[in-house]
Amino acid sequence: MRTVEDEPHERPHRPSEPEATSPADRRAGIRLAALRLFAVQGYRATTMTDIGAAVGIRGPSLYKHVASKHELLAEIMTGTMEQLIADNIAAVAGTDDVREQLRRSVEAHIRYHARHRLEAFVGNREIGNLEQLDQDRVLSRRSDYERRYRELIERGAEEGVFDVRSARIASYSILDMGIGVASWFNEGGEFSVDQLAYQYGDMALRIVNARPPDRL
């Protein structure tokens, strides 16, 4: 199985953009460099010197933009969960049909993990390296995200649309198979992101034993 470490284009590199960038752009570049380094060599093995070298900033100048590598890790992991939750909210907003809401939620989940492989990889591997307060924040957002799926499945079961023994196990199964996409998906592979998302949507509906619309 291919991993993040196997992808040459994921390795950190010095950017080619000019020095005259805005503070926001500079910080975004630092965050991206840190993300790539955390994915390739791990959070603990990465130093601020490594991050500075990847963006062409030396020594103390880096601290004008970011306080610590932990701040970057917390920002990456919190941002990942906030984006997943925002995508989920947008996915369910366009319909009241619980089957379609679950499908759209899963498709958004798959698209994120296919397009943000490094964030998913670092988020799963480095949670233990967050300081307690930030770890609690990330775990709280993860619980919120899982709860949204679980409550959707529970509502589907109450409406007689889904048939599951445990909504919690079903939600875990659906989320886990989506997270796994980040470890193997390749943009140039057999399936496009949209094709993959649709197929995973089908699988999620099978996990909850969704009844076809004409049988409702």
Side-chain angles (χ1 to χ4, degrees):
M1 175 181 292
R2 294 171 66 86
T3 65
V4 171
E5 290 89 339
D6 296 325
E7 298 291 341
H9 64 279
E10 301 289 8
R11 297 192 179 279
H13 61 281
R14 292 175 65 107
S16 58
E17 57 264 74
E19 286 292 318
T21 57
S22 71
D25 288 341
R26 175 60 75 187
R27 185 177 177 87
I30 294 168
R31 185 170 57 248
L32 178 58
L35 173 64
R36 289 169 169 166
L37 283 161
F38 295 160
V40 172
Q41 61 191 43
Y43 172 78
R44 289 185 179 275
T46 299
T47 66
M48 286 291 278
T49 300
D50 294 332
I51 296 170
V55 293
I57 300 178
R58 293 184 178 181
S61 296
L62 183 60
Y63 291 93
K64 295 179 182 178
H65 304 282
V66 60
S68 67
K69 69 172 185 174
H70 179 270
E71 179 179 275
L72 290 166
L73 180 65
E75 188 174 306
I76 289 165
M77 296 182 72
T78 301
T80 292
M81 291 314 306
E82 289 177 348
Q83 187 60 57
L84 282 166
I85 291 170
D87 289 349
N88 180 264
I89 292 171
V92 302
T95 179
D96 292 326
D97 183 283
V98 70
R99 284 171 45 93
E100 190 62 23
Q101 286 180 326
L102 181 60
R103 171 182 282 284
R104 293 182 185 183
S105 294
V106 172
E107 289 182 356
H109 183 65
I110 297 302
R111 287 190 177 95
Y112 182 89
H113 285 86
R115 290 170 174 158
H116 300 273
R117 298 173 58 212
L118 296 187
E119 288 89 342
F121 183 76
V122 169
N124 285 317
R125 188 178 67 179
E126 304 293 356
I127 183 69
N129 284 316
L130 285 176
E131 294 175 1
Q132 194 61 55
L133 183 60
D134 288 309
Q135 186 177 120
D136 289 345
R137 287 171 178 159
V138 171
L139 291 176
S140 176
R141 286 166 172 79
R142 286 186 179 182
S143 294
D144 178 32
Y145 188 58
E146 183 276 328
R147 177 184 55 79
R148 292 171 182 276
Y149 281 82
R150 177 162 32 93
E151 291 181 351
L152 196 60
I153 294 168
E154 289 172 345
R155 179 162 66 83
E158 290 171 1
E159 294 177 4
V161 179
F162 302 153
D163 181 13
V164 292
R165 295 180 63 181
S166 170
R168 186 180 297 275
I169 291 176
S171 69
Y172 286 165
S173 299
I174 290 168
L175 292 173
D176 282 350
M177 72 180 186
I179 291 168
V181 165
S183 69
W184 62 264
F185 180 73
N186 185 343
E187 283 279 4
E190 181 179 359
F191 301 106
S192 69
V193 173
D194 287 340
Q195 289 172 328
L196 192 68
Y198 191 84
Q199 290 192 49
Y200 270 75
D202 279 345
M203 287 188 282
L205 291 175
R206 287 198 290 272
I207 286 174
V208 298
N209 292 307
R211 292 180 172 83
D214 59 350
R215 296 185 185 178
L216 297 181

